[in-house]
């Protein structure tokens, strides 16, 4: 069971308080109507799904109700970093 | 019966406290401090079970969690039955009732055993894959017989009356195992100031020291343990959990511990106590000091009762004062096991011989053994065992282990007990739970924990360190390491003096050769519980099952309740030998939680029944109960479903409720609808983005219905949102969807549009909501409300007003889900019951009638209003629902759902549309879920047009009504479709508008 | 192929079982194949078998990075049913069901396929409506499925608590009596043995580390130990690892890989003779022929390749089981494990062409993979043989996530498992 640091509450809390919301940094297209069906479909459904580092959004459902990002290794489940919405990850696959 | 194998003195049992227990219906005596196993051995009971496949008699082999055979049914009453209790771990108590789990007519003389010895030849591993196939129709019959043989113990047939609980804990250091290493680690870390939890599965701390005759620091091992335990007990930062098995070691240093709180007192927990407790522990650091299990050797007929693991024999002797036989033959590959021969001789019984597989063993213990005059046969092994229900002798022969051959002439020795030791296997189980794989260590001939990202340290036997001084010093070091990693200054702990023993090199032998090839030799068991033999493993590899996982699965090795604690390493070694590989090349072994089995009840804790999921009630719940409401579960809520009067059927109640609404006035408790308070200067803009319709112009005091879609354009929720102020709105959602909608709003605000200033708060529980509906609703409300002008023109449909109702502040919304003149009164929740009762006081003269969710469903269906979740399933756009009136394509912002609705598949023709359906025979009500076809006579599979989503008898219309989906339905008004039902009826219905009553909406505008 | 039968067992017992043939050989891969199948799990092996048997294509290699049948085929709860809601899924799973019926004889390998009935319990009025809709659809689709209500259900499943004092009392259930369980390992091994005997090369310990793609067309795969192996067509059937393989081919999939956990109790005497699934209280259970209660837990909400999930899911599942079957309170949980399931947004699989010519993917089975094994292999074999999908597989195109023609099984009946 994951132990997750909420950057808003500034505490390590049990996974049960949180809700995983999937891949982070998927921006909603600014002009959806200009998207093709393919582009819209990819925005909606297509995901990186990496084995290794994954940047993902979590929601502190039973806590502060705030969203935040974290970088997690999907193989070892190790959480490498926590960062707020709008920020960029420091730990990335290309940086090793 | 006397305890014929009980020694006069010694052991940790309390001879002053005799207890009586029953096994297989016979009464026996034992002492407090015994396990069932030690007491059975004391009483000379040899057979504790019949083997799973061959029904061979089986006896006690081990003394702890690794025991494969002594798995019993426990329980004196039906409700307290416990299946598969390990006799080696269950403490004895007075009145304990247990029995073997199979064998017919009895475990002593089992008829299946006869079958087993004949049929066994036809039951090599995987035999069931190769037979029972023909004819195809016979499989269920074959299976009936196979299932008859299934299982060990049985589940109780009455409900468990005991309670279980769960405790969440945090600590600096979790020490797993309270043997010498664990005790030292806990003591060191404890003295350093760390918050420590130390848990051990046994009733007392001490681990193998409890059965040791060693001296530590000049004291007996037992006294030394007692002193350490006494000091730990004084440390307030140390929590000691005996009878507590750490069963799982999960990611991020999360551990689960199953604490057995009362099983040692009886099969039912004393009143007021919980039977077992699960500790869920989050530890900064963990020291695994889980020790090691001794491996038995694999040799012919090594399952005959009387064959035991060497250290278990010592445990029974030293800890329980039980000598489990008269004449011992000990077979070993290492020096350590000689201690068992010495212990046996000290108990005054005969050691026939020690058979050492090594040619020239020469350690201290061997010298001591020889000095006692005990015969030591070297370079030899026990290759076969004589006897059926108890060992009567062994065949010993010289072997060449390298060439896997018997080299000498076999000779027979008479004995009744065979102890064997093939060395030790570190208990690495917990270290594997979070994905780490153990690694083979040739020096210790075993697997040790592999690299891990867990904050884990190890000490003692788990590292393959078996000498007592090494174990103790590793414990101290682990405690100090933990302390310094925790930022504490590690306390100094002196390593106590212990006897130093010179040991020779152990031999890596797992499978003893026989004069015959393995396939023809007597059965050589590897996994006793699952009847896996060396021949079976050879066969598996011969058939191509060469990966260790294949071998395990094909033979079922390690899949028993002991999870292969004794057998897995031997099995791997045999596999490696057959394949001509090393053990590490053959693979590794992975263990998964649980270390030992845990009762479901303990894992569930108190979270069943009432506490399974919390129940939510409205403020008026008490009134509903008092007035005979039947309830419907909606999410966590208990909602009144309908209010039957005495003698009424459900339909009669619904007819009455429906008519009352349209003829006079009725009231619904609508408190459960989700309510979200939305504020901020951009609240209006935000609404425009998340709803499909326009919100720019909604004035203060006005309400509007909205549909919410996903980015895919599919409707997922709906509700009315009211403008309370320029920057202030109140959104309502469906009862079940409230939490999801709130998360949805927050998600878009926080991640997509943080620049919008808007705030959301759930206020569902703050308000009691009652919908007063019907032509007399205005008159009734007027009697209780004098500060709102309820007049037709001053308080219009889709307006809301603030005022006072029944003396309390209220928000009144003139909205309608029934199509009648309706007022939805919202008051602070704790005034809800007061206002509700006042309404009934005044409503009697109007025949004010309470109605529940079912009537609400009927009334709204008469008006063709959808219920999100019932008339939608995530695959319908607003257009499909015929609600294009609720979609605005003129909004500047591309609201959520807009682009999705425009995808190729969403704009094609022949999508399923929501329509009304009128049965040709108005008295027939279509069942919900019925499927429409154009031609009921077409062959199966039929072309399905769509299903009925809502269907009712409408008392007001005096006919049935239904809403449902039809392919291209909006363009097929007036056409006929057919609904073939399970009972053979085909119901004919006409496609129509879903608005069955008052299409112009006049009734709500009065 | 050495034929298996009871008589054979008797015969071999006389020679101490020393003469059983290998169930598969361990060939060295050739330089080139007509078809390479990546993934030696249940679906991949079934694909190979049907390619050889039904399409006569035997110059086929199955490349497996570990051992055969070592993925989800050995980590599931062995439930087989075909009572899916939408016409497309119903046709797919019923195609599979028909192959299950008779598979033991077809493969000459006992699949221990027991049609003991699969029940979906209903705990709310909406549950009842969903299941009634499903039952009505299935009957007209030619799939057996029927409703039973609480009193009758209690008689059919004595251990199930159908009383009113449960938190969510059981109101009824839909039951597919042709549904049931099969023996998971037997499926993989049976297909492997049969494919091998038809000439398919099953290559174990052969990890694919790259794709040979030129001008948008695949010509072979790069392996860790055997270099490049060429192929005219490549089919990728790697379940949880689909995303990793897709990345090698240069595209993303509408798939996420999640841990899916399961657990077993200790073996107990016969307790439950059917499969019971409750979507509402989140638990499902059957009992194996060995006596273990086999219990499925939920999917963890996050991407995970570790073959393990969170304890909280196990805990909640056990609560649900004790709620449904109070008599299990004193039964003990033996072991838990996890698989990696590749889930599509609509809970339906992808059996499809891809943006790379001659490269086909079969993935996204989520929790439906085991029951789908024969059908999946059969239809994917057709796809690989013809270079275009079988009509039943056509709706399960990768491109439906562009057009929006989803086959939304979890939204529809709420029965994703």
């Amino acid at each position: 069971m994951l132990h997750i640091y909420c950057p808003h509450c500034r505490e390590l809390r049990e996974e049960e308080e949180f809700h995983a919301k999937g891949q982070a940094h998927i921006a909603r297209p600014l002009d959806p109507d200009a998207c093709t069906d393919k582009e819209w479909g990819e925005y909606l459904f297509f995901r990186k799904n990496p084995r290794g580092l994954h940047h993902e959004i979590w929601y502190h459902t039973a806590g502060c109700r705030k969203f935040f990002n974290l970088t997690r290794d999907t193989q070892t489940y190790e959480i490498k970093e926590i960062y707020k919405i709008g920020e960029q990850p420091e730990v990335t696959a290309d940086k090793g | 019966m006397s305890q014929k194998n009980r020694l006069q003195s010694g052991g940790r049992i309390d001879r002053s406290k005799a207890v009586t227990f029953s096994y297989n219906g016979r009464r026996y005596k034992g002492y407090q401090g015994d396990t069932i196993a030690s007491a059975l051995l004391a009483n000379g009971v040899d057979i504790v079970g019949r083997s799973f496949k061959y029904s061979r008699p089986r006896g006690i082999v081990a003394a702890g969690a690794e025991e494969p055979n002594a798995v019993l049914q426990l329980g004196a009453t039906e409700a307290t039955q416990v299946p598969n209790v390990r006799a080696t771990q269950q403490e004895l108590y007075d009145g304990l009732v247990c029995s073997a789990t199979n064998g017919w007519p009895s475990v002593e003389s089992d008829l299946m055993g006869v079958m087993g010895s004949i049929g066994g030849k036809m039951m090599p591993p995987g035999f069931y894959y190769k037979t029972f196939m023909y004819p195809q129709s016979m499989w269920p019959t074959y299976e009936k017989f196979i299932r008859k043989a299934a299982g060990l113990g049985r589940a109780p047939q009455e409900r468990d009356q005991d309670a279980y609980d769960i405790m969440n804990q945090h600590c600096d250091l979790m020490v797993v195992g309270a043997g010498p290493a664990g005790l030292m680690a806990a003591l060191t870390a404890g003295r350093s100031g760390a918050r420590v939890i130390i848990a051990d599965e046994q009733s007392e701390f001490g681990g193998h020291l409890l059965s040791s005759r060693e001296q530590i620091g000049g004291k007996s091992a037992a006294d030394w343990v007692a002193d350490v335990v006494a000091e730990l007990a004084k440390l307030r930062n140390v929590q000691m959990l005996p009878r507590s098995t750490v069963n799982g070691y999960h990611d991020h240093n999360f551990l689960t511990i199953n604490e057995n709180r009362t099983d040692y007192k009886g099969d039912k927990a004393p009143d007021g106590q919980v039977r077992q407790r699960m500790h869920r522990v989050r530890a900064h650091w963990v020291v695994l000091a889980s020790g090691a299990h001794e491996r038995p050797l694999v040799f012919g007929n090594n399952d005959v009762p009387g064959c035991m693991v060497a250290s278990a024999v010592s445990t029974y002797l030293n800890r329980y004062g039980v000598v489990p036989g008269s004449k011992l033959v000990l077979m070993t590959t290492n020096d350590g096991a000689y201690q068992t021969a010495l212990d046996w001789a000290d108990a005054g019984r005969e050691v026939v011989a020690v058979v050492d597989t090594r040619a020239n063993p020469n350690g201290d213990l061997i010298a001591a053994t020889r000095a006692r005059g005990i015969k030591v046969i070297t370079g030899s092994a026990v290759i076969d065992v004589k006897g059926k229900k108890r060992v009567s002798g062994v065949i010993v022969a010289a072997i060449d282990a390298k060439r896997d051959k018997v080299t000498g002439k076999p000779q027979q020795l008479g004995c009744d007990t065979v102890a064997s030791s093939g060395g030790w296997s570190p208990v690495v189980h917990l270290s594997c739970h979070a994905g780490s794989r153990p690694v083979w260590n040739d020096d210790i001939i075993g697997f040790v924990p592999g690299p891990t990202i867990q904050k884990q340290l190890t000490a003692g036997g788990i590292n393959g360190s078996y000498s007592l001084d090494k174990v103790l010093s590793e414990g101290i070091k682990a405690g100090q390491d933990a302390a310094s990693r925790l930022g504490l200054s590690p306390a100094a702990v002196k390593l106590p003096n212990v006897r130093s023993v010179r040991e020779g090199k152990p031999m890596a032998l797992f499978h003893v050769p026989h004069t015959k090839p393995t396939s023809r030799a007597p059965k050589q068991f590897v996994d006793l519980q699952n009847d896996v033999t060396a021949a079976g493993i050879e066969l598996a590899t011969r058939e191509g099952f060469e990966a260790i996982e294949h071998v395990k699965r094909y033979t079922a090795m390690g899949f028993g309740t002991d999870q292969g604690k004794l057998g897995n390493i031997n099995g791997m070694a045999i596999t490696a030998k057959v394949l001509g590989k090393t053990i590490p090349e053959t693979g590794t072994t992975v263990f998964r939680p649980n270390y030992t089995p845990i009762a479901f009840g303990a894992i569930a804790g108190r979270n069943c029944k009432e506490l399974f999921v919390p129940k939510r009630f409205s403020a008026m719940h008490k009134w509903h109960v008092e007035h005979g409401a039947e309830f419907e579960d909606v999410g966590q809520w208990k909602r009144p479903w309908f209010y039957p009067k005495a003698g009424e059927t459900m339909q009669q109640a619904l007819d009455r409720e429906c008519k009352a609404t349209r003829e006079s006035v009725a009231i619904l408790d609508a408190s459960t609808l989700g309510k979200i308070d939305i504020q901020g200067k951009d609240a209006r803009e935000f609404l425009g983005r998340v709803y499909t319709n326009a919100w720019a112009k909604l004035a203060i005091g006005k309400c509007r219905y909205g549909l919410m879609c996903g980015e895919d354009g599919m409707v997922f929720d709906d509700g009315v949102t009211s403008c309370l102020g320029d920057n202030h709105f109140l959104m309502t959602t469906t009862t079940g969807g409230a939490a999801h909608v709130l998360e949805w709003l927050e998600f878009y605000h926080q991640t997509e549009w943080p620049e919008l200033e808007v705030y959301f708060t759930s206020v569902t529980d703050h308000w009691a909501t009652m919908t007063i509906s019907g032509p007399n609703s205005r008159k009734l409300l007027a009697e209780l409300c004098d500060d709102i002008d309820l007049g037709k023109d001053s308080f219009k449909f889709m307006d809301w007003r603030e005022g006072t109702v029944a003396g309390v502040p209220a928000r009144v919304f003139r909205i309608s889900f029934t199509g009648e003149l309706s007022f939805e009164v919202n008051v602070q929740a704790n005034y809800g019951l007061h206002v509700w009762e006042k309404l009934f006081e005044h409503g009697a003269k109007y025949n004010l009638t309470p109605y529940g969710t079912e009537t609400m469903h009927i009334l709204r269906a008469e008006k063709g209003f959808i219920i999100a979740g019932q008339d939608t399933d995530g695959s319908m756009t607003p257009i499909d629902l015929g609600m294009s009136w609720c979609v605005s394509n003129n909004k500047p912002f591309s609201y959520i759902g807009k682009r999705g609705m425009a995808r190729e598949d969403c704009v094609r023709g022949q999508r399923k549309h929501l329509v009304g359906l009128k049965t040709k025979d108005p008295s027939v009500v279509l069942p919900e879920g019925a499927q429409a076809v154009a031609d009921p006579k077409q062959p199966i599979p039929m072309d399905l047009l769509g299903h009925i989503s809502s269907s009712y008898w409408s008392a007001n219309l005096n006919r049935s009504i239904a809403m449902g989906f039809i392919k291209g339905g909006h363009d097929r008004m007036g056409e006929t479709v057919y609904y073939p039902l399970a009972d053979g009826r085909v119901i004919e219905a006409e496609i129509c508008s879903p608005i069955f009553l008052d299409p112009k909406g006049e009734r709500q505008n009065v | 192929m050495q034929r298996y039968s009871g008589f054979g067992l008797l015969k071999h017992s006389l020679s101490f079982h020393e003469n059983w043939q290998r169930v598969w050989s361990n060939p060295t891969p050739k330089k080139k194949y007509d078809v390479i199948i990546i993934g030696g799990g249940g679906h991949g092996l079934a694909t190979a078998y049907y390619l050889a048997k039904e399409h006569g294509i035997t110059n086929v290699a199955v490349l497996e990075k570990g051992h055969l049948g070592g993925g989800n085929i050995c980590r599931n709860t062995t439930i087989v049913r075909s009572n899916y809601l939408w016409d497309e899924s119903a046709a797919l799973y019923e195609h599979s069901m028909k192959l299950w019926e008779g598979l033991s004889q077809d493969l000459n390998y006992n699949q221990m396929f027991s049609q003991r009935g699969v029940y979906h319990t209903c705990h709310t009025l909406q549950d009842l409506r969903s299941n009634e809709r499903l039952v009505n659809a299935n009957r007209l689709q030619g799939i057996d499925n029927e409703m039973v209500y609480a009193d009758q259900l209690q008689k059919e499943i004595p251990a199930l608590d159908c009383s009113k004092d449960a938190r969510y009392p059981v109101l009824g259930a839909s039951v597919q009596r042709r549904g049931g369980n099969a023996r998971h390992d037997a499926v993989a091994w049976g297909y492997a043995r049969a494919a091998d005997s038809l000439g398919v090369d099953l290559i174990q310990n052969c990890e694919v580390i790259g794709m040979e793609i030129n001008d948008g067309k695949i010509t072979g795969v790069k392996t860790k130990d055997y270099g490049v192996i060429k192929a005219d067509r490549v089919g990728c059937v790697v379940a949880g690892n689909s995303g990793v393989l897709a990345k090698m081919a240069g595209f993303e999939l509408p798939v996420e890989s999640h841990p899916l956990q399961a657990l077993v109790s200790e073996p107990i005497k016969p307790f439950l003779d059917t499969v019971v699934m409750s979507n509402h209280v989140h638990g499902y259970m059957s009992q194996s022929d060995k006596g273990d209660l086999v219990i499925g837990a939920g999917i963890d909400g996050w991407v995970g390749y570790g073959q393990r999930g969170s304890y909280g899911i196990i805990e909640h599942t056990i609560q649900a089981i004790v709620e449904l079957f109070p008599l299990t309170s004193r039964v003990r949980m033996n072991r838990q494990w996890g698989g990696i399931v590749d889930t599509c947004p609509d809970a339906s699989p992808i059996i499809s062409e891809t943006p790379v010519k001659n490269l086909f993917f079969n993935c996204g089975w989520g929790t439906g993979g085991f029951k789908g094994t024969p059908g999946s292999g059969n239809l994917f074999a057709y796809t690989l043989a013809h270079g275009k999908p079988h009509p039943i597989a056509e709706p399960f195109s990768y491109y439906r996530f562009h057009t929006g023609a989803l086959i939304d099984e979890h939204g529809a009946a709420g029965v994703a498992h």
Side-chain angles (χ1 to χ4, degrees), chain B residues 687-701:
Chain B
L687 289 174
R689 295 184 184 191
V690 297
Y691 274 133
T692 56
N693 48 344
W695 293 83
K697 297 198 179 103
L698 186 70
I700 298 171

Side-chain angles (χ1 to χ4, degrees), chain C residues 203-219:
Chain C
I203 320 284
Q204 303 188 66
N205 302 307
C206 179
E207 185 173 357
V208 170
I209 53 169
M211 308 253 183
E212 298 286 302
I213 297 168
N214 296 309
D215 298 333
K217 194 170 142 185
I218 194 161
T219 58

Side-chain angles (χ1 to χ4, degrees), chain B residues 118-347:
Chain B
I118 302 165
K121 292 195 174 58
M122 283 184 65
M123 292 194 274
F127 73 95
Y128 32 83
Y129 300 132
K130 295 174 176 162
T131 183
F132 305 134
M133 283 179 276
Y134 307 97
Q136 190 180 337
S137 60
M138 275 297 281
W139 169 246
T141 313
Y142 295 132
E143 196 187 31
K144 218 172 264 171
F145 285 97
I146 293 171
R147 281 176 93 82
K148 275 202 175 135
L152 296 166
R154 64 178 182 85
Q157 290 173 32
E158 286 175 18
R159 288 194 184 199
D160 192 354
Q161 300 299 313
D162 280 340
Y164 303 83
D165 69 10
I166 293 172
M167 186 178 273
N168 290 301
Q169 302 229 54
H170 297 264
C171 65
D172 291 329
L173 179 65
M174 174 77 227
V175 179
V176 180
L183 285 173
M184 272 313 195
L187 186 67
T188 310
R191 283 188 191 168
S192 312
R195 284 181 307 139
V196 177
I197 298 175
I198 174 168
D200 193 285
E201 63 186 0
Q202 300 205 60
S203 57
E204 310 181 68
F205 279 10
H208 85 265
L209 296 179
L210 296 170
S211 44
S212 166
R213 297 196 291 160
E214 293 291 326
Q215 295 276 308
I216 304 179
K219 297 177 240 189
S220 74
D223 287 349
W224 181 83
V225 169
D227 288 352
V228 174
V229 168
E231 181 177 347
L232 289 174
K234 279 194 206 126
L235 291 172
R236 294 188 58 186
N237 51 327
V238 175
Q239 182 184 355
M240 293 192 286
L241 294 173
R243 299 192 176 94
S244 299
T245 308
V246 182
N247 271 300
Y249 184 8
H250 303 266
D251 288 285
H252 299 190
N253 266 24
F254 178 80
L255 301 102
T256 53
I257 307 176
N258 181 221
E259 183 187 7
N260 162 354
R261 290 179 65 84
T262 68
D263 293 62
Y264 65 96
K265 296 180 189 168
D267 53 19
K268 171 150 185 18
D271 284 348
Q273 296 184 32
V274 297
R275 181 172 166 239
Q276 293 176 9
R277 170 174 295 159
M278 289 298 292
H279 298 260
R280 304 159 99 243
V281 179
R282 197 63 87 163
H284 283 122
W285 280 89
V286 169
V287 170
L288 296 181
S290 41
H293 289 144
E294 194 170 24
R295 283 190 298 271
L297 284 159
V298 177
F299 50 99
N301 289 315
N302 58 339
D303 67 326
V304 176
C307 290
M308 297 177 77
V309 175
S311 60
V313 172
S314 282
T315 296
Y316 288 114
L317 278 160
N318 297 332
R319 182 167 176 188
Y320 301 104
V322 172
V323 53
S326 315
K327 296 169 74 176
L328 172 76
V329 168
L330 170 79
M331 167 161 59
T332 180
T333 62
N334 56 79
D335 285 14
Y338 278 76
Q339 186 62 47
T340 299
L342 295 170
D343 291 341
W344 189 277
D346 286 347

Side-chain angles (χ1 to χ4, degrees), chain C residues 14-15 44 69 73 96 116 120 129 186 190 237 244 250 281 285 289 292 305 324 356 360 367 388 394 409-411 414:
Chain C
L14 301 176
S15 55
I73 188 77
S96 198
R116 57 180 76 248
H120 281 108
R129 278 190 287 266
V237 212
V244 178
V281 306
M285 181 158 96
D289 283 349
D292 306 355
Y305 287 86
L324 291 169
V356 176
F360 302 85
T367 59
K388 61 169 192 188
E394 244 170 58
E409 279 294 335
H410 49 55

Side-chain angles (χ1 to χ4, degrees), chain B residues 578-846:
Chain B
V578 182
L579 298 176
K581 292 181 180 175
T582 64
I583 291 176
E585 281 166 358
T586 306
T588 180
T589 181
V590 172
F591 299 97
R592 305 195 183 280
N594 298 322
Y595 175 67
T596 47
I598 313 177
F600 283 16
I603 297 169
R606 295 188 190 272
N607 304 311
C608 287
K609 292 269 167 295
E610 294 292 302
L611 299 178
F612 177 64
V613 166
K615 283 180 189 167
R616 294 173 79 183
F617 305 114
S618 84
M620 288 81 89
H621 186 74
K622 179 171 156 269
W623 191 95
H624 305 320
V625 173
E626 285 166 4
H627 290 76
E630 292 284 337
F631 291 89
E632 176 187 0
D633 283 306
V634 184
Q636 297 172 337
W637 291 96
K638 288 280 178 190
R639 295 198 72 178
W641 185 20
F642 60 100
Y643 297 81
K645 288 190 169 169
E648 258 182 356
T649 63
M650 178 174 175
Q651 191 58 52
Q652 287 165 337
L654 298 178
D655 290 353
R656 175 177 53 72
E657 291 173 14
C658 285
K659 282 193 163 158
T661 315
R662 300 233 184 266
E663 285 166 9
S664 179
V665 60
I667 185 166
L668 171 80
D669 181 349
S671 308
T672 63
L673 286 181
K675 293 177 271 294
I676 300 171
D677 188 274
I678 304 176
Q679 302 193 33
K681 72 176 170 55
D682 298 314
R684 186 183 295 277
E685 169 64 22
F686 193 91
L687 289 174
R689 295 184 184 191
V690 297
Y691 274 133
T692 56
N693 48 344
W695 293 83
K697 297 198 179 103
L698 186 70
I700 298 171
K702 294 281 178 192
C703 315
R704 182 165 292 167
Y705 173 83
L707 274 181
M708 237 179 248
C709 289
E711 292 282 17
D712 59 358
M714 304 301 161
V715 173
F716 76 85
D717 210 273
D718 67 345
V720 170
T721 292
S722 309
C723 184
L724 305 183
D726 245 351
N727 301 331
H728 192 186
F729 294 82
L730 180 72
M731 173 185 282
T732 60
T733 73
T734 58
T735 298
H740 174 64
V741 171
L742 180 62
E743 180 170 331
W744 178 257
L745 302 178
E746 291 281 12
F747 179 75
Y748 273 90
H749 176 231
Q750 291 180 38
T751 69
E752 287 295 341
W753 309 314
E755 68 279 7
L756 297 186
E757 191 188 321
V758 57
Y759 306 91
F760 311 95
T761 308
S762 166
V763 294
T764 303
D765 294 294
H766 301 200
W767 298 92
T769 305
M770 40 208 104
T771 304
I772 310 163
S773 201
N776 284 322
S777 57
R778 182 180 282 129
K779 268 192 248 169
L780 170 60
L781 184 57
E783 291 189 21
L784 289 159
C785 173
D786 52 15
D787 56 356
I788 301 174
D789 179 354
L790 300 175
K792 176 176 184 287
D793 297 318
S794 42
F795 189 2
K796 289 191 179 130
F797 181 57
M798 296 309 272
D799 281 358
W800 77 274
R801 294 289 180 269
E802 197 146 25
T804 310
V805 175
V808 302
R811 285 177 186 160
V812 182
F813 299 79
R814 204 184 143 190
I815 55 180
S816 178
F817 197 40
T818 60
E820 289 301 317
L821 173 67
S822 281
F823 296 91
E824 194 184 280
V825 179
N826 283 259
V827 297
Q828 201 176 300
N830 48 345
Y831 295 141
L833 184 58
H834 158 77
V835 175
W836 182 273
E837 284 176 338
K838 279 282 168 207
L839 284 165
F840 273 93
E841 263 174 44
H842 290 259
K845 55 186 165 298
Y846 306 111

